[in-house]
Amino acid sequence: MKINVLVAEIGSTTTVVNAFDEIFDNCPIFIGQGQAPTSVREGDVNIGLRAAIKDLSERLSVDNLEYDELMSTSSAAGGLKMTVHGLVYDMTVRAAKEAALGAGANLHIITAGKMRRSDINKLKEIKPNIILIAGGVDYGERETALYNAELIRGLNLDIPIIYAGNKENQEEIREIFKDTKMKLYITENVYPKIDQLNIEPTRKIIQEVFEEHIIYAPGMGKVREMVKGPIIPTPGAVMLAAKLLKEEIGDVLVLDVGGATTDVHSVTEGSDEINRILVSPEPISKRTVEGDLGVYVNLNNIVERIGLNNLASRLNIDSEKLKNLVENHKPIPISDIEKSFIEELTFEAVITAVKRHAGRLRDLYGPSGKKTIAEGKDLSNVKYVVGTGGALTRLPNRIEIMKRIPLNNKGNELLPNKDVKILVDNNYIMASLGVLSEKYPEAAIRLMKNSLGIE
């Protein structure tokens, strides 16, 4: 059996492969899915990748599965580890952070102003995949970015550097990193003018640099032996899918509740009414990742947020039975009570993560009376909430969980309205379709709409 494209999602623990065929026709097909443990510890992720392809073959009852192309997303080996260094936290640092998160990065250090010795020591310990330097609007402050670049140069680590700051510094930045092991990439300023974000060029180059250097990450050394197509950080691939979907159906909010984190992706310009009173700019495409909200690895964090007595009351069970659920939780719930337990945790993760992602209205009082301002991301224009990831594609009450988001608005929060429509990535292929969209956007959107159950 031969198909057009396989897309591998190489995770930290599991590798999943999704098979797609007839992608050049008007009706592309999702063939099926296989999975296997990721083999990072063996030093060769291809072992797990081949095992996942074998699992897919067995599910399809074929002896020899062939394919024209193999693409990949990856969050193995710690995913895309980045550090970001800018000038003012609420300006250039925030812009650089948005670009990095939107590209699918895991941010390990964020600094504002001149870096300290402790920052440099942390940088040496972390050994990120990419270091991003920003700072200063165009033709504005120059010294901080140059100072930070000199400190980072002194480490002479074999790590790619992206410069996305004041354009006046570009020649000096080139001189600083000349004759070092640190390969330099220069792109447009992420914050060229006051209250103007320009994160898309930086987001794009982050993904290009990641793809170029991913082979140097632990366990990823042989990935290019099999994957000839693009390799994108898994969260970045979900963002690409969300942006494609927004172009097709309108403003979207995509939620992914996982075992360790909860990711929120929004693609919306917000409402004109809120934009008129917004105090600082927000990107159209925004991603936040909540590292304390996971329904397996970080389960205890969510249980603590809810409270044991409150959770037991919601589940209508005694404290002893709840304690047993917490202590013996499984990666995949099986019994009805296990599913109800994970649903309560998922709801808490969804509401908390969305509220952290969203902005809010605030009243200011002065000599002229009350003035209302808006801060943060406006989600009030979102037309669709999309659930992807294990919890929000497999739990029985996944749709009801997402329907409750607008009902938890305290009145001043810029959450989706109650008429928002709920969609589920039933085939759990959104990340795969993000990477597929880089080369086959028309096939990707058709497959996505089919998975979401929309025409």
Side-chain angles (χ1 to χ4, degrees):
M1 179 181 184
K2 188 171 185 179
I3 59 170
N4 294 146
V5 179
L6 277 185
V7 181
E9 297 178 22
I10 305 173
S12 296
T13 57
T14 304
T15 292
V16 174
V17 291
N18 291 305
F20 304 101
D21 202 23
E22 299 184 26
I23 61 171
F24 303 105
D25 299 332
N26 289 329
C27 297
I29 302 170
F30 169 56
I31 299 292
Q33 189 175 81
Q35 64 181 24
T38 297
S39 49
V40 172
R41 290 183 180 177
E42 289 84 344
D44 183 1
V45 297
N46 287 353
I47 298 170
L49 185 51
R50 291 191 188 97
I53 294 172
K54 182 181 178 183
D55 180 60
L56 173 63
S57 300
E58 291 172 353
R59 291 171 188 245
L60 297 176
S61 300
V62 298
D63 294 328
N64 185 28
L65 181 65
E66 298 181 350
Y67 48 88
D68 296 321
E69 288 183 82
L70 176 60
M71 301 177 179
S72 176
T73 75
S74 175
S75 57
L80 170 51
K81 295 189 294 183
M82 282 189 66
T83 66
V84 169
H85 313 281
L87 176 57
V88 178
Y89 189 85
D90 287 335
M91 295 181 178
T92 52
V93 175
R94 187 168 67 88
K97 175 184 172 184
E98 295 287 0
L101 286 171
N106 297 323
L107 297 182
H108 288 252
I109 303 175
I110 302 171
T111 66
K114 292 183 177 180
M115 295 176 69
R116 297 166 294 186
R117 186 179 301 171
S118 59
D119 298 325
I120 292 297
N121 289 337
K122 289 176 185 175
L123 202 57
K124 285 191 289 187
E125 291 173 12
I126 291 167
K127 294 182 180 176
N129 301 113
I130 300 172
I131 297 172
L132 174 58
I133 301 173
V137 298
D138 285 340
Y139 308 106
E141 200 270 359
R142 301 181 61 186
E143 182 184 352
T144 299
L146 295 174
Y147 176 88
N148 289 341
E150 290 280 9
L151 284 183
I152 292 168
R153 181 201 188 281
L155 297 174
N156 201 22
L157 299 171
D158 191 9
I159 294 172
I161 306 292
I162 297 175
Y163 177 70
N166 185 343
K167 65 166 60 173
E168 278 195 299
N169 280 342
Q170 290 182 0
E171 287 306 314
E172 289 181 67
I173 291 288
R174 286 190 179 96
E175 286 295 318
I176 289 170
F177 290 103
K178 187 171 68 174
D179 302 325
T180 71
K181 292 189 293 184
M182 308 174 101
K183 187 170 181 179
L184 176 66
Y185 300 81
I186 291 180
T187 189
E188 297 174 32
N189 194 344
V190 289
Y191 199 79
K193 297 179 182 178
I194 297 295
D195 289 342
Q196 181 181 326
L197 298 181
N198 180 39
I199 65 176
E200 288 302 324
T202 301
R203 180 183 291 172
K204 184 177 180 182
I205 201 167
I206 289 170
Q207 292 186 337
E208 290 172 359
V209 174
F210 173 79
E211 185 173 347
E212 182 179 344
H213 291 268
I214 185 61
I215 58 171
Y216 302 110
M220 297 294 290
K222 297 183 180 180
V223 69
R224 276 295 175 203
E225 291 179 7
M226 292 184 67
V227 180
K228 304 303 180 185
I231 303 175
I232 295 174
T234 303
V238 175
M239 178 61 86
L240 288 174
K243 291 165 73 174
L244 186 68
L245 190 60
K246 192 266 187 192
E247 293 175 8
E248 185 74 13
I249 65 174
D251 295 7
V252 296
L253 178 69
V254 179
L255 308 175
D256 183 350
V257 179
T261 68
T262 293
D263 279 26
V264 181
H265 302 77
S266 62
V267 190
T268 174
E269 291 90 346
S271 68
D272 291 338
E273 179 186 3
I274 297 300
N275 284 330
R276 282 194 292 269
I277 59 173
L278 196 63
V279 295
S280 60
E282 285 285 327
I284 294 173
S285 304
K286 182 183 180 77
R287 170 185 171 238
T288 50
V289 55
E290 306 303 337
D292 61 329
L293 300 176
V295 294
Y296 181 63
V297 176
N298 290 317
L299 176 144
N300 287 315
N301 291 338
I302 306 180
V303 170
E304 187 176 335
R305 283 188 60 85
I306 299 172
L308 287 171
N309 291 337
N310 189 17
L311 185 54
S313 176
R314 288 192 201 178
L315 294 169
N316 197 26
I317 58 176
D318 59 40
S319 58
E320 195 61 35
K321 193 164 188 178
L322 176 58
K323 183 180 178 182
N324 184 59
L325 283 172
V326 173
E327 291 178 351
N328 299 291
H329 61 279
K330 303 179 179 71
I332 301 174
I334 298 171
S335 67
D336 288 344
I337 188 60
E338 288 171 348
K339 290 175 183 177
S340 296
F341 172 57
I342 296 300
E343 284 178 343
E344 290 295 338
L345 302 188
T346 299
F347 170 70
E348 184 71 21
V350 163
I351 296 301
T352 304
V354 171
K355 288 192 174 192
R356 290 177 183 175
H357 184 94
R360 54 184 39 82
L361 299 173
R362 191 155 67 92
D363 293 331
L364 300 178
Y365 296 88
S368 57
K370 185 175 79 170
K371 177 184 179 183
T372 301
I373 63 168
E375 299 173 314
K377 184 70 174 176
D378 176 22
L379 303 179
S380 62
N381 247 25
V382 165
K383 301 295 186 292
Y384 298 90
V385 173
V386 180
T388 188
L392 291 177
T393 62
R394 298 294 180 260
L395 289 171
N397 291 308
R398 56 196 180 274
I399 292 175
E400 286 70 21
I401 288 170
M402 290 183 280
K403 278 183 177 179
R404 291 164 67 185
I405 294 171
L407 304 179
N408 279 264
N409 195 333
K410 293 180 180 178
N412 66 331
E413 295 163 319
L414 300 176
L415 300 181
N417 296 314
K418 60 183 179 181
D419 58 348
V420 70
K421 294 180 175 62
I422 307 300
L423 302 174
V424 175
D425 176 21
N426 292 293
N427 294 329
Y428 194 178
I429 55 175
M430 201 159 183
S432 287
L433 296 181
V435 68
L436 187 73
S437 72
E438 290 282 82
K439 195 168 182 180
Y440 306 108
E442 292 182 4
I445 193 62
R446 289 192 179 102
L447 288 160
M448 198 180 312
K449 290 171 75 174
N450 181 262
S451 183
L452 296 172
I454 57 178
E455 294 298 326

